Amino acid sequence: MTTYLELIVHHGGKMDYSEEVPRYLNGKIEEVDMDLDYISYFQLQQLGVVHFEYARVERLWYMAPSHNLGNGLVEIRSDTE
């Protein structure tokens, strides 16, 4: 049985750290379902290139649902994260 994970993807904007709580500005927010068995660093990069039509993806970040922008962003550098 295939299990899908719903990702909420923020892209095309910038983080604003000028206030106490960081904010994501001027970007798009989209939901994407991905097969849990196939989520990897390279699949996430491919998602940015193919689905969102970027020439390349320079950096990836994730945030656990129980965290916020002020304390929960973690950079994804490999499949380990």
Side-chain angles (χ1 to χ4, degrees), residues 19-56:
E19 297 183 24
E20 186 175 327
V21 177
R23 298 179 301 153
Y24 184 73
L25 303 174
N26 303 321
K28 297 177 184 176
I29 302 171
E30 299 183 46
E31 295 177 4
V32 177
D33 292 330
M34 292 189 75
D35 185 334
L36 189 59
D37 290 332
Y38 295 104
I39 293 178
S40 69
Y41 176 76
F42 299 104
Q43 286 296 104
L44 292 172
Q45 282 189 321
Q46 184 178 10
L47 176 71
V49 172
V50 175
H51 185 80
F52 298 117
E53 300 180 347
Y54 291 105
R56 64 188 165 110

Side-chain angles (χ1 to χ4, degrees), residues 1 5-6 9 11 16-17 19 23 27-28 31-32 43 51 56-59 65-66 68 70-71 76 81:
M1 183 170 125
L5 179 67
E6 181 181 78
V9 180
H11 64 98
D16 176 12
Y17 294 99
E19 297 183 24
R23 298 179 301 153
K28 297 177 184 176
E31 295 177 4
V32 177
Q43 286 296 104
H51 185 80
R56 64 188 165 110
V57 175
E58 292 184 24
R59 297 173 86 176
S66 61
N68 62 49
N71 70 0
I76 303 171
E81 287 89 13

